Amino acid sequence: MPSSMTAGLHCLFLLITACCQTSQDSNFVPFIQYVIDTALGEESFQSEMQRQKRNMLVFDLPPVEYTVDIEVSLTDSSFLEPLKDHFKNLNLPVLTNISNIEMRISNVSVTTVCLPSGENTSCCTCENGYAWPSEVCSDLTICPSASPAPSLSCSYMREVPFDRPYCKPEIEDSCGMGEPIAMDMSVRLDTVYLDDLSNSSSELYKKYKADLEIAFNDGYRCLPGFVSATVTGFRPGSVFVNYEVKAGAAGFNQIASSNRIVAQFLNPFYQLSPDSFTTKIANQTNFTVSPEDIFEGDTVRLICEINSTSENVTWYHLGQIISTKSVYFVYSKTSRSILEIANVTINDSGAYTCTFTKSNLFHKLVYSATKTVAVSPLYITPNVNDINVTCNSPEMQTNSLLLSCCIDKRLPSLTGDWEVNGAINITGVSSFSENCTEYKLNISESLCPPENSGTVTTYTCELRTGHGARRSQNIRVMYLREAHVTISLSKKSPVSEGLEFNVTCKSDVGKYDSISWKIQSGNNTKTVDCGTCITNDNLAATSVLVVKTATRDWSGTYICTFSQKYLESSANVTIEVVSLPLKQKIQIDPIETPILCRVPQTLQCCISANSMDDYTVLFVVQEKKFHAVKKRNGNLFCYTYNYTETECSKEKKLTPYCKFINHIQQEVNSENITLNLISGEKVSCSDSKGIGIEGSTLITPCCTSNNTNGFIQGNKIYKCSNKSWMLKRDNCLSVAINNLLADAESLVNSPGSRAELPTYLEKLKNMTEMEQNTINNSSANLGAIVNILEMVSSIPADANLNTIQDFLSIVDVIVADSTTKVWEDLNKSDELKSSSLLNSVENFSLNLQPVHNTIPSVCANTLQLQGIVTENSSTNYNTIFRSAENLTVNMFIGTTENPTGIQNSTIVSVMYSKLGHILPQNGTQYVNGLLLTTTVRSSKSQKLGINMTFAKQNLSLKNPQCVFWNFTLNKWGGGWDTQGCTFTEEEDYVNCSCNHLTSFSILMSPDIYSQLIFEDYITYIGLAISILSLVTCVIVESLVWKYVTNNTTSYMRHVCILNIATSLLIADVWFIVTASINDQKQPMSRGICFVATFFIHLFYLCVFFWMLSLGLILFYRLVFILHNTSKTTQKAVAFCLGYGCPFVIAVITIAVTLPRNNYTRKDVCWLNWEDSKALLAFAVPALVIVAMNLFITAVVIIKILRPNIGDRSNRQERNSLFQICKSVAILTPLLGLTWGFGLATIVKNSHRAFHILFSLLNALQGLFILVFGTLWDKKIQEALLKRNSMSKWSSQQTKSSSLILVTPMLAMSYPFSRTFNNLCGKTGKYRVSSSEPSSSSSENTSKSYSLLN
């Protein structure tokens, strides 16, 4: 018996293969016992075997082979080897019969040997040729008690009793027999990291590597399928050892056990940290991604699985941890994790890593796997994007359009459908093939009405991948319809030259892209591009071509074409233009001439000889028609007739004209010839030019001998003076400028005027520079250039640099300093040419057409042009101009409706440094800065405002005003206006702000303010004294009335004085109130101003007419001595004259002028002079009355000096008459002196003393009335004394009466020293007849602004 020291439980597992025939319930126990007994005997073993049946199947014949696992337990390990040897030495096969069962044992092998290692565990080892099956491979745990000797076999812990498979013959699927895997592992050595560990060639590195690899190989050799352990490097952090272990699939516990063993084989010198082992296994994770083809919008599932359990699962995207709180959905178990990404995007592309982690205090195991996810956009490729389809084309009726949408990959789950959206609802049939969806349209003409032509229908195809991604693609189909176009004429063809006609083109299709007009004449086809002659109505689908002046160029076949995408629909009509002279192309001779009765006068009308047509020409004189005789005169065809006037009863004016009739009986009349019938007895001038009386005017056409293209426009004006015809004015044009004017007339009437404009402007610029001297000395030639610019400015011009440069250069030439005198002469004519020139530049800039959405900046000496085009973007316009004289103007334009700026507009600004000075001045106000024109052409109405900062040119000028040039202000061409503009002054600059656009500048005047302050004081103080004096006068008269009116003459005198005082008091009060308001620059409504002007006018007239009444009473009493008129009659006449006449005059004045809005002046409340001459309604009566009073005064003086013999007037009457004469003699000269000073102020540069005296004498009129008319009257003095002393009046006291004839207030100047008629053009408060600009503004009129002074 073995000793107790060696006793223990030992197991030996036998694998026995036997063949037998048995039933299913056969008992193998006797068989097992037999094997053991036969081998060792009864005394050697304890029968403590546990039997297991493995794969026990009972078959009938033939015999079945069985393999039986037998577990043998030993109490002493010393029997292990003898037993193994015994089984090896058995003589097999062995035949036996147990329990009548025949068996044949073919093989007996020891497979597994287990040694006890604890109470319930054993350390088991597989014998050679046997291995652990794969199902228990991951559960094998290396025995901790295993000997460190590397030569011993590896044993693994098994629990007792054994319930798992034992070792089996090695096969490919056995534990550790598969392809080894590489495990990246690391461990920390708690030593100092030396730099040599970074150098694989260093001895230290080699020593570390060798020692560690020995320990690693010995420690990990028992891992299933172990191959090798290799050190790959070192890294700092103490010392971290990176090494790679190649072995079979090992479990967590297996690796942990091996890690503990490693420390037993490693020298303690290395201080290995047993809790720092980390293992990373990269290729043992099953990582799948679905779907395979991923598109934006899909839902993607990423699945990671491992064969073992884990404690934690972490997902990474591009190295960043995916949080469970993010948009991703994570579902995890210990061995499986799912990452779901809904509605995936391109940003979700990249590498995804899943990690399974399991750890304890001594080991950390990480399983990781990485997959790259590629997310692609789901691109849909349509066969067409935008396509135009003609509904009523035969092709579309037979072969309808096929639409398709495709992707570049074939997806089994791909689906799709179509959606139709549009006014034209044409549907189709959808189908699906592989990676495409198709839609066959059913196009019908009935579904495309003409009014919907051009309508876009959107077809939307949507494709779905089946995993959530979906994309749609729009295909826009524009349905067009070939239009039916009609064309009509306003006049039947043929049409004569010079007449106007319209051609109207209409389409039944409501929408179109463009309309074009062409004229085909023979083989020549030209495009009609005449700017404003074509008017298109988009809503009515109508285009109207207006030919205002037909010429031969307009003859041909008119082709009107409506274009809609690629479709063009046309209509045509033929128009023949028949020759007929244009009215301005007919030269009349004479233009104006005196004629004698019964003396023949040759009348002549000439046209260019270039016309080969024959006309019937008649001269029409006083509705009588006379046939003319045709003859050739050089390059002209002239038609003449000798007319004789036979009705000679009186001098008269005849206006004959010639009538040209062509072969289609259409006619044109020439300008009228003026024939002034004179008496032969008065003839003073008589020569080849004609006959005339002194002062007669003779106007003849210009000589045409030096012009090969026709006659020269213009005329010559002669005046009969000193018995000879003197040339007063030569208005004939030079040949060059005459031809330019003719070409301009042809250009504006040409169908291709826009295309021809640049060439003409270049020619005009060159010729203008060549004719500079002619222009400098001829107002006619300069006026012709202005007329040319006015004509061509109406033609839209492309904003090319050369075109703009040419136009501005022409203007620069004609406004040069050398033309100043010519401009002064031109501005005196009825038509203001300087205003026309400014209007031409405005029209040119307004009609500029941007090229590539730009307006170039152009400079031409004294002119500069800048512009901007704002399309969909919103912007404000801010620019600055600087002249050669270093004057500047800064401009800003913004909209008051849209704070973001101006949209869809073309803004053009032109700066002038000379043009502003040739415009008429406003009295003493001068243009004191640059002139700026700004025009805006916009697709929609916008309320725009402009801010400008002008630099002052002359710093000595004061009183700035911001003005614009109002073309509608005066009937002859405009004037400066201030409406809608305000200003602020800052030292050398004036800031102007206006609420409308056009032409702007600043006007300023010399500093006369300081000079006027003294006159202002005189006016205010004098009027205050006068008002107090007049109130005193009225009070005194009321107090002494019954004492001083005891005879008719005295009564009427005091009635006149009282009414004069009352009228003057009311007028002065109105005057001083309105003047004060105007002085303080306070606004006053136009209605109040009308009322104030009416009453001032009325009561000042009353003053004069009551003065006239007083003078007439005096005249009556002196001249008609024996005639006696009753007091009532005199009183009635006086009141009718004193109030009736002024009222009638005042009412008629306001009734005539107020409807035309020119009753008052713009800046003061007084009668207008400039526009309506309403001031004459005051000045004429006043002057007439002054003259009559002077005459009466002279009569009175004569009567007093030469009294009539036999004068029987009593003493009282004589005394009264004497006092009247005395008063009139005193006051009337004073009145005359006042007006003498007033007339003196009209004289230019008159001395200031006249202005002061004029103000003083007129302002103190009330005082004169009180002193001379009332207080100097002795009877009034006595009456006042009597009222104060209550004493009786002496009956012997001679009655006296005193007459005060008040000096009329004929000049409404404030102060009075300012102007009766013009007051030298000086600015004043109220003026009698000074020329004053009356201003009115129009929002749609271009204006020029300046600073007024």
Side-chain angles (χ1 to χ4, degrees):
M1 294 292 295
S3 65
S4 61
M5 296 294 295
T6 60
L9 179 62
H10 301 279
C11 294
L12 177 67
F13 296 94
L14 304 178
L15 180 63
I16 300 175
T17 304
C19 294
C20 63
Q21 286 185 336
T22 181
S23 64
Q24 197 169 16
D25 55 353
S26 299
N27 187 357
F28 279 86
V29 175
F31 164 72
I32 298 301
Q33 184 64 46
Y34 168 80
V35 174
I36 298 301
D37 291 343
T38 304
L40 298 178
E42 293 180 353
E43 68 276 10
S44 302
F45 295 95
Q46 298 289 332
S47 179
E48 298 177 1
M49 296 183 299
Q50 296 180 359
R51 298 170 177 84
Q52 296 183 356
K53 298 180 180 180
R54 298 293 179 98
N55 300 326
M56 295 175 63
L57 299 176
V58 179
F59 294 93
D60 294 331
L61 293 177
V64 178
E65 184 177 87
Y66 297 94
T67 298
V68 182
D69 290 334
I70 301 175
E71 181 179 317
V72 179
S73 297
L74 303 177
T75 58
D76 191 340
S77 60
S78 61
F79 293 112
L80 179 59
E81 290 303 322
L83 181 60
K84 291 167 62 177
D85 292 338
H86 172 75
F87 285 128
K88 289 180 180 178
N89 297 323
L90 282 178
N91 188 14
L92 297 176
V94 177
L95 298 176
T96 183
N97 189 331
I98 301 174
S99 300
N100 297 322
I101 298 175
E102 291 184 2
M103 291 188 183
R104 179 177 177 269
I105 300 173
S106 60
N107 181 42
V108 177
S109 299
V110 178
T111 62
T112 308
V113 176
C114 295
L115 299 176
S117 63
E119 182 177 355
N120 295 319
T121 60
S122 297
C123 288
C124 301
T125 305
C126 291
E127 293 295 299
N128 290 335
Y130 291 88
W132 295 102
S134 59
E135 59 265 24
V136 298
C137 190
S138 59
D139 297 330
L140 296 177
T141 302
I142 299 174
C143 290
S145 60
S147 172
S151 58
L152 298 179
S153 299
C154 293
S155 60
Y156 302 94
M157 295 182 63
R158 295 299 304 272
E159 292 182 357
V160 177
F162 302 115
D163 58 353
R164 299 288 182 92
Y166 306 117
C167 298
K168 293 184 177 182
E170 290 182 349
I171 59 175
E172 291 183 358
D173 194 34
S174 296
C175 182
M177 298 303 292
E179 187 71 21
I181 62 175
M183 296 180 288
D184 293 327
M185 302 184 68
S186 66
V187 68
R188 187 179 76 249
L189 307 180
D190 291 330
T191 60
V192 178
Y193 183 84
L194 300 176
D195 292 338
D196 285 350
L197 293 177
S198 299
N199 183 6
S200 61
S201 301
S202 67
E203 292 300 325
L204 182 64
Y205 183 94
K206 293 178 180 178
K207 182 179 183 306
Y208 269 56
K209 177 178 173 67
D211 293 347
L212 289 168
E213 285 184 350
I214 291 173
F216 291 152
N217 279 284
D218 291 342
Y220 295 110
R221 69 183 182 83
C222 291
L223 290 177
F226 174 78
V227 177
S228 65
T230 307
V231 175
T232 59
F234 303 92
R235 52 189 171 88
S238 295
V239 176
F240 279 95
V241 182
N242 296 329
Y243 59 99
E244 181 183 79
V245 175
K246 291 184 178 181
F252 177 81
N253 293 330
Q254 294 170 337
I255 298 174
S257 298
S258 297
N259 290 339
R260 288 192 294 271
I261 297 173
V262 167
Q264 300 177 26
F265 292 100
L266 186 64
N267 191 328
F269 164 78
Y270 290 99
Q271 301 181 35
L272 184 143
S273 176
D275 60 349
S276 62
F277 284 96
T278 300
T279 303
K280 294 182 180 180
I281 302 175
N283 54 358
Q284 292 298 299
T285 305
N286 183 20
F287 195 158
T288 60
V289 179
S290 65
E292 293 183 3
D293 296 315
I294 303 173
F295 297 94
E296 283 188 287
D298 275 339
T299 297
V300 180
R301 290 172 62 91
L302 291 82
I303 303 174
C304 273
E305 292 181 285
I306 59 175
N307 292 327
S308 62
T309 61
S310 66
E311 298 172 351
N312 185 35
V313 181
T314 305
W315 285 88
Y316 298 85
H317 177 218
L318 300 175
Q320 301 294 321
I321 295 177
I322 299 176
S323 171
T324 56
K325 296 181 180 180
S326 64
V327 295
Y328 301 95
F329 171 74
V330 179
Y331 171 76
S332 300
K333 291 185 177 180
T334 57
S335 61
R336 177 184 172 92
S337 180
I338 300 174
L339 175 66
E340 186 173 289
I341 309 172
N343 196 20
V344 70
T345 65
I346 295 293
N347 295 331
D348 294 321
S349 297
Y352 285 82
T353 301
C354 65
T355 61
F356 293 83
T357 305
K358 188 174 183 178
S359 63
N360 58 24
L361 294 176
F362 305 101
H363 177 229
K364 180 179 180 180
L365 176 62
V366 178
Y367 289 91
S368 66
T370 300
K371 285 275 190 178
T372 299
V373 173
V375 180
S376 304
L378 184 60
Y379 286 120
I380 297 180
T381 304
N383 62 336
V384 291
N385 287 319
D386 295 341
I387 188 171
N388 302 324
V389 174
T390 305
C391 297
N392 52 351
S393 68
E395 179 184 359
M396 279 298 137
Q397 302 299 316
T398 57
N399 186 18
S400 291
L401 181 66
L402 177 65
L403 306 178
S404 67
C405 291
C406 302
I407 63 172
D408 55 358
K409 293 184 178 180
R410 296 183 180 181
L411 300 180
S413 59
L414 187 68
T415 59
D417 53 24
W418 291 81
E419 181 180 347
V420 182
N421 186 15
I424 298 180
N425 189 25
I426 294 181
T427 59
V429 178
S430 63
S431 59
F432 205 88
S433 61
E434 297 181 346
N435 58 331
C436 295
T437 178
E438 297 178 341
Y439 199 68
K440 183 75 170 180
L441 298 179
N442 297 322
I443 298 176
S444 173
E445 181 179 354
S446 61
L447 298 176
C448 295
E451 61 272 13
N452 287 342
S453 180
T455 298
V456 174
T457 298
T458 302
Y459 293 87
T460 303
C461 62
E462 183 180 75
L463 293 177
R464 297 178 292 274
T465 63
H467 301 285
R470 61 175 61 200
R471 287 293 180 273
S472 61
Q473 175 69 39
N474 291 335
I475 300 177
R476 292 164 49 89
V477 178
M478 177 178 286
Y479 289 104
L480 305 174
R481 184 184 178 99
E482 292 184 3
H484 175 66
V485 181
T486 58
I487 192 167
S488 60
L489 293 173
S490 61
K491 293 183 179 180
K492 292 183 179 180
S493 180
V495 178
S496 295
E497 285 188 275
L499 298 183
E500 179 179 343
F501 66 89
N502 301 339
V503 186
T504 302
C505 195
K506 185 174 180 60
S507 169
D508 64 341
V509 172
K511 296 180 182 179
Y512 55 88
D513 298 326
S514 63
I515 303 177
S516 63
W517 288 84
K518 294 182 180 180
I519 300 177
Q520 184 176 357
S521 180
N523 295 327
N524 182 27
T525 300
K526 51 192 173 186
T527 301
V528 179
D529 189 7
C530 52
T532 58
C533 65
I534 299 175
T535 303
N536 296 329
D537 187 344
N538 294 336
L539 295 178
T542 303
S543 180
V544 179
L545 173 61
V546 179
V547 181
K548 294 184 177 180
T549 305
T551 62
R552 296 299 295 271
D553 291 337
W554 290 97
S555 185
T557 300
Y558 286 63
I559 304 172
C560 167
T561 302
F562 282 77
S563 298
Q564 191 177 27
K565 298 301 179 183
Y566 60 88
L567 284 182
E568 290 187 349
S569 304
S570 302
N572 63 79
V573 64
T574 300
I575 300 175
E576 179 186 1
V577 179
V578 179
S579 294
L580 187 66
L582 300 179
K583 188 171 187 175
Q584 66 269 24
K585 297 294 186 180
I586 302 174
Q587 184 189 61
I588 57 175
D589 185 16
I591 299 173
E592 181 176 353
T593 184
I595 63 171
L596 293 174
C597 186
R598 296 187 181 89
V599 175
Q601 172 65 45
T602 301
L603 306 179
Q604 181 173 268
C605 288
C606 298
I607 61 173
S608 174
N610 295 331
S611 175
M612 303 306 295
D613 292 272
D614 287 329
Y615 305 104
T616 300
V617 181
L618 304 174
F619 278 93
V620 181
V621 186
Q622 292 181 322
E623 298 182 357
K624 297 179 181 178
K625 298 180 180 179
F626 307 95
H627 285 274
V629 178
K630 179 181 179 181
K631 64 177 182 179
R632 177 147 189 167
N633 184 6
N635 57 348
L636 299 176
F637 285 134
C638 294
Y639 298 84
T640 60
Y641 177 75
N642 292 324
Y643 174 73
T644 302
E645 177 60 35
T646 57
E647 297 180 3
C648 308
S649 57
K650 59 180 180 179
E651 293 184 358
K652 59 182 177 180
K653 180 186 291 186
L654 304 176
T655 55
Y657 59 88
C658 56
K659 182 188 294 291
F660 283 76
I661 306 173
N662 60 15
H663 69 273
I664 61 172
Q665 301 305 307
Q666 291 181 346
E667 58 189 42
V668 62
N669 297 334
S670 69
E671 298 288 351
N672 288 338
I673 301 173
T674 301
L675 303 178
N676 298 311
L677 184 62
I678 61 174
S679 173
E681 300 174 354
K682 300 180 181 180
V683 172
S684 174
C685 299
S686 179
D687 56 20
S688 59
K689 296 182 180 65
I691 54 97
I693 62 176
E694 197 70 18
S696 293
T697 299
L698 174 66
I699 305 177
T700 63
C702 300
C703 177
T704 61
S705 59
N706 55 350
N707 185 24
T708 59
N709 295 326
F711 61 85
I712 299 295
Q713 297 192 42
N715 57 61
K716 293 183 178 180
I717 302 175
Y718 298 89
K719 197 80 171 180
C720 181
S721 177
N722 297 325
K723 298 185 179 182
S724 64
W725 291 107
M726 305 296 295
L727 181 61
K728 182 181 178 182
R729 188 181 185 90
D730 186 351
N731 293 325
C732 293
L733 304 181
S734 68
V735 174
I737 294 179
N738 183 79
N739 292 338
L740 287 173
L741 182 60
D743 291 344
E745 292 171 347
S746 299
L747 176 66
V748 296
N749 294 324
S750 169
S753 56
R754 181 172 176 179
E756 300 167 8
L757 179 62
T759 303
Y760 178 79
L761 285 178
E762 182 181 7
K763 177 182 177 182
L764 178 61
K765 184 200 74 168
N766 296 334
M767 293 303 298
T768 303
E769 293 174 348
M770 293 174 59
E771 295 289 317
Q772 178 75 66
N773 292 333
T774 303
I775 294 172
N776 292 344
N777 298 290
S778 172
S779 59
N781 285 292
L782 179 57
I785 298 297
V786 175
N787 290 339
I788 291 172
L789 292 176
E790 192 171 15
M791 285 189 285
V792 300
S793 66
S794 63
I795 304 173
D798 291 334
N800 295 314
L801 181 63
N802 292 337
T803 302
I804 301 174
Q805 185 76 51
D806 291 341
F807 188 92
L808 297 184
S809 297
I810 298 166
V811 178
D812 181 61
V813 169
I814 64 176
V815 298
D817 292 335
S818 57
T819 62
T820 302
K821 291 185 178 179
V822 182
W823 278 111
E824 291 177 357
D825 187 30
L826 273 178
N827 284 337
K828 295 176 183 178
S829 62
D830 292 339
E831 183 182 359
L832 200 58
K833 289 296 183 181
S834 57
S835 179
S836 299
L837 177 60
L838 180 62
N839 190 39
S840 300
V841 180
E842 287 196 20
N843 288 337
F844 177 78
S845 60
L846 184 64
N847 290 323
L848 272 180
Q849 307 297 312
V851 177
H852 305 303
N853 286 328
T854 58
I855 302 290
S857 297
V858 181
C859 179
N861 195 14
T862 63
L863 292 91
Q864 296 177 23
L865 182 144
Q866 296 181 22
I868 188 175
V869 179
T870 64
E871 292 188 304
N872 296 327
S873 61
S874 297
T875 183
N876 290 316
Y877 182 48
N878 192 352
T879 188
I880 186 170
F881 290 94
R882 185 180 300 276
S883 69
E885 299 83 5
N886 208 29
L887 290 176
T888 61
V889 56
N890 197 346
M891 179 186 63
F892 174 83
I893 298 179
T895 173
T896 59
E897 297 173 342
N898 184 4
T900 60
I902 308 169
Q903 293 183 340
N904 301 318
S905 301
T906 300
I907 307 173
V908 179
S909 297
V910 182
M911 179 277 292
Y912 324 79
S913 58
K914 296 288 186 183
L915 181 56
H917 300 283
I918 68 174
L919 292 168
Q921 297 179 6
N922 248 17
T924 59
Q925 297 173 321
Y926 305 95
V927 174
N928 197 32
L930 299 175
L931 178 64
L932 181 67
T933 293
T934 300
T935 59
V936 175
R937 186 177 69 253
S938 180
S939 58
K940 64 178 181 178
S941 177
Q942 301 184 69
K943 202 169 185 179
L944 302 177
I946 183 170
N947 296 312
M948 298 158 288
T949 300
F950 290 93
K952 298 178 183 177
Q953 185 175 11
N954 185 350
L955 299 180
S956 66
L957 297 180
K958 306 296 181 182
N959 304 324
Q961 279 188 308
C962 291
V963 294
F964 66 91
W965 188 260
N966 187 345
F967 293 97
T968 63
L969 189 60
N970 298 314
K971 60 183 179 181
W972 55 83
W976 294 113
D977 196 355
T978 60
Q979 185 169 349
C981 291
T982 58
F983 75 93
T984 58
E985 188 174 10
E986 297 178 3
E987 297 181 353
D988 299 342
Y989 297 91
V990 177
N991 299 318
C992 297
S993 180
C994 301
N995 58 15
H996 52 89
L997 299 180
T998 186
S999 297
F1000 308 82
S1001 190
I1002 55 173
L1003 296 182
M1004 299 181 71
S1005 59
D1007 187 11
I1008 61 172
Y1009 179 74
S1010 58
Q1011 301 178 12
L1012 298 178
I1013 292 177
F1014 183 65
E1015 285 90 328
D1016 291 344
Y1017 284 141
I1018 292 175
T1019 300
Y1020 283 120
I1021 295 172
L1023 283 176
I1025 294 172
S1026 288
I1027 291 173
L1028 293 175
S1029 299
L1030 292 170
V1031 173
T1032 304
C1033 178
V1034 173
I1035 294 173
V1036 170
E1037 287 288 342
S1038 64
L1039 291 175
V1040 301
W1041 183 261
K1042 64 180 179 179
Y1043 301 106
V1044 296
T1045 57
N1046 52 359
N1047 60 54
T1048 302
T1049 301
S1050 180
Y1051 176 81
M1052 290 305 301
R1053 179 179 69 83
H1054 284 283
V1055 168
C1056 290
I1057 289 176
L1058 182 61
N1059 281 280
I1060 288 171
T1062 304
S1063 298
L1064 186 58
L1065 175 62
I1066 296 173
D1068 281 350
V1069 170
W1070 274 104
F1071 178 83
I1072 199 169
V1073 170
T1074 56
S1076 299
I1077 295 175
N1078 184 72
D1079 246 12
Q1080 298 299 321
K1081 302 186 182 301
Q1082 297 295 323
M1084 181 185 295
S1085 70
R1086 300 303 296 170
I1088 296 176
C1089 189
F1090 292 153
V1091 173
T1093 302
F1094 175 79
F1095 283 113
I1096 293 173
H1097 182 207
L1098 172 64
F1099 284 104
Y1100 276 130
L1101 281 179
C1102 290
V1103 171
F1104 281 98
F1105 276 95
W1106 276 108
M1107 289 169 55
L1108 177 61
S1109 298
L1110 185 61
L1112 291 176
I1113 291 172
L1114 174 61
F1115 183 80
Y1116 171 74
R1117 297 309 300 168
L1118 288 176
V1119 176
F1120 301 99
I1121 299 173
L1122 300 179
H1123 189 274
N1124 191 14
T1125 305
S1126 67
K1127 182 192 296 185
T1128 303
T1129 302
Q1130 292 185 42
K1131 187 176 178 181
V1133 172
F1135 272 90
C1136 288
L1137 190 63
Y1139 289 116
C1141 291
F1143 182 76
V1144 171
I1145 293 172
V1147 170
I1148 292 175
T1149 302
I1150 194 172
V1152 171
T1153 59
L1154 188 60
R1156 293 181 292 176
N1157 199 25
N1158 51 16
Y1159 175 58
T1160 64
R1161 303 182 186 186
K1162 180 172 180 59
D1163 54 349
V1164 293
C1165 295
W1166 185 229
L1167 298 174
N1168 187 287
W1169 169 256
E1170 200 69 28
D1171 297 322
S1172 63
K1173 300 295 186 294
L1175 185 61
L1176 293 177
F1178 173 76
V1180 171
L1183 289 173
V1184 171
I1185 291 172
V1186 169
M1188 293 180 65
N1189 280 343
L1190 288 173
F1191 172 75
I1192 293 172
T1193 301
V1195 172
V1196 169
I1197 293 173
I1198 293 172
K1199 282 289 186 178
I1200 292 176
L1201 294 177
R1202 298 180 182 179
N1204 292 334
I1205 299 175
D1207 187 6
R1208 297 180 181 180
S1209 297
N1210 58 41
R1211 183 180 178 185
Q1212 187 180 16
E1213 293 293 331
R1214 289 274 304 186
N1215 192 39
S1216 296
L1217 290 174
F1218 177 76
Q1219 294 297 329
I1220 293 173
C1221 292
K1222 181 180 177 181
S1223 296
V1224 173
I1226 293 172
L1227 293 180
T1228 302
L1230 183 60
L1231 178 64
L1233 288 174
T1234 301
W1235 275 100
F1237 290 121
L1239 294 173
T1241 60
I1242 300 176
V1243 180
K1244 189 176 183 180
N1245 299 325
S1246 60
H1247 197 276
R1248 187 183 176 196
F1250 291 104
H1251 296 269
I1252 295 174
L1253 287 174
F1254 183 69
S1255 297
L1256 182 62
L1257 293 176
N1258 285 279
L1260 295 175
Q1261 282 185 344
L1263 179 62
F1264 296 155
I1265 292 174
L1266 175 64
V1267 174
F1268 296 116
T1270 302
L1271 297 182
W1272 279 14
D1273 191 328
K1274 291 181 180 180
K1275 194 170 183 179
I1276 292 178
Q1277 294 173 7
E1278 292 174 357
L1280 290 173
L1281 290 173
K1282 186 175 180 180
R1283 285 182 62 87
N1284 292 334
S1285 62
M1286 300 301 293
S1287 61
K1288 295 184 178 180
W1289 288 56
S1290 173
S1291 60
Q1292 301 300 324
Q1293 177 66 37
T1294 304
K1295 294 180 176 65
S1296 64
S1297 33
S1298 173
L1299 176 65
I1300 176 95
L1301 189 58
V1302 180
T1303 305
M1305 177 75 73
L1306 292 180
M1308 292 299 297
S1309 174
Y1310 177 60
F1312 285 112
S1313 63
R1314 301 176 207 166
T1315 185
F1316 163 61
N1317 190 6
N1318 193 7
L1319 295 188
C1320 302
K1322 296 181 175 60
T1323 303
K1325 312 229 175 8
Y1326 291 83
R1327 300 179 182 175
V1328 176
S1329 61
S1330 63
S1331 179
E1332 183 111 4
S1334 173
S1335 143
S1336 64
S1337 75
S1338 172
E1339 289 295 333
N1340 298 326
T1341 306
S1342 276
K1343 302 167 182 84
S1344 292
Y1345 290 82
S1346 179
L1347 182 58
L1348 285 166
N1349 185 350

